[in-house]
């Protein structure tokens, strides 16, 4: 069995990377981390029936032959892993010095890890649903600060262009990436 994993406290780039890796390898199971940021939780809750994500508790009790590790280089231990489990990393953070030399690495300098996965999706000639296009675009927009961070690269912009051409909706992106303050947050804001 192949699984796709990301880091805890997952942001939209991590979730989009899970989805992107699954689109490239639909035989793998994209496993949600236990902790997900507010934007991601809201998006997943609304579109759960259109996304391939599973909870860790729902993983089949089988041997894990391969792990695709996205937007991180930190591997969590799962039942079913062994010394023979292949690990493939897709990440955009600086490479850790102590990584296992047997791991296959796909590193990028982009502001969003999703960029490299969208480039592979585009090269493979895959078509996205609007929900998939929105999820991938949110990963790009969130991790680049809507393309205003200094780490923004041309490949992130090209990936966003592809997502928009595939049906990503800027109105949906702004709804999830810049949600209004909750009642409690507004009260705290007013007190401050």
């Amino acid at each position: 069995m192949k699984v796709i994993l990301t880091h805890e406290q997952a942001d939209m780039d991590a979730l989009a990377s899970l989805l992107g890796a699954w689109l490239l390898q639909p035989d793998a199971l994209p496993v949600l981390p236990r902790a997900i940021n507010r934007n991601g939780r809201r998006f997943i809750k609304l579109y759960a029936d259109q996304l391939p994500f599973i909870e860790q508790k729902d993983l089949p009790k089988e041997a894990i032959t391969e792990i695709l590790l996205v937007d991180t280089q930190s591997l969590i231990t799962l039942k079913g892993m062994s010394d023979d489990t292949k690990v493939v990393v897709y990440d955009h953070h600086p490479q850790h010095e102590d990584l296992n030399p047997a791991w296959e690495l796909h590193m990028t300098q982009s502001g969003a890890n999703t960029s490299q996965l969208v480039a592979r999706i585009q090269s493979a000639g895959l078509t996205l649903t609007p929900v998939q296009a929105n999820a991938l675009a949110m990963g790009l927009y969130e991790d680049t600060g809507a393309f205003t961070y200094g780490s923004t690269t041309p490949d992130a912009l090209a990936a966003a262009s592809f997502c928009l051409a595939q049906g990503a909706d800027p109105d949906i992106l702004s709804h999830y990436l810049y949600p209004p303050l909750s009642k409690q947050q507004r009260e705290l804001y007013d007190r401050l």
Side-chain angles (χ1 to χ4, degrees):
M1 160 177 72
K2 286 185 192 177
V3 297
I4 309 168
L5 303 174
T6 193
H7 58 83
E8 288 297 325
Q9 303 301 327
D11 57 9
M12 282 307 303
D13 189 35
L15 297 172
S17 293
L18 276 176
L19 177 62
W22 176 80
L23 287 165
L24 293 164
Q25 295 198 34
D27 60 328
L29 300 174
V31 181
L32 288 172
R34 287 181 290 274
I36 300 170
N37 78 6
R38 184 173 97 173
N39 300 336
R41 280 194 317 269
R42 289 177 62 223
F43 188 80
I44 290 171
K45 184 177 181 180
L46 185 59
Y47 297 106
D49 62 331
Q50 298 177 59
L51 296 167
F53 304 135
I54 67 166
E55 301 283 340
Q56 187 173 334
K57 65 180 177 52
D58 296 326
L59 272 174
K61 294 180 183 352
E62 298 176 17
I64 298 174
T65 57
E66 185 173 344
I67 293 174
L68 304 174
L69 196 56
V70 296
D71 198 35
T72 186
Q73 298 163 45
S74 299
L75 182 62
I76 61 167
T77 303
L78 294 175
K79 288 184 180 179
M81 290 173 56
S82 72
D83 291 339
D84 296 328
T85 300
K86 179 180 177 181
V87 178
V88 180
V89 177
Y90 293 91
D91 196 17
H92 70 124
H93 299 101
Q95 185 174 329
H96 297 176
E97 293 180 15
D98 59 346
L99 285 183
N100 185 327
W103 289 7
E104 181 181 321
L105 303 178
H106 300 274
M107 308 297 284
T108 183
Q109 296 296 313
S110 182
N113 191 59
T114 305
S115 298
Q116 69 170 312
L117 296 164
V118 169
R120 290 171 185 268
I121 289 165
Q122 188 173 13
S123 292
L126 300 177
T127 302
L128 304 175
T129 67
V131 170
Q132 294 166 346
N134 280 320
L136 294 170
M138 286 196 311
L140 296 163
Y141 278 70
E142 187 179 74
D143 244 32
T144 63
F147 308 110
T148 63
Y149 296 164
S151 61
T152 301
T153 57
D155 63 326
L157 292 167
S161 177
F162 174 76
C163 291
L164 288 170
Q166 293 285 309
D169 182 343
D171 290 331
I172 291 175
L173 301 179
S174 66
H175 176 74
Y176 285 97
L177 294 179
Y178 307 106
L181 296 176
S182 69
K183 181 181 177 191
Q184 294 85 4
Q185 290 170 325
R186 280 193 313 273
E187 289 171 0
L188 176 60
Y189 177 78
D190 290 339
R191 284 197 330 237
L192 291 174

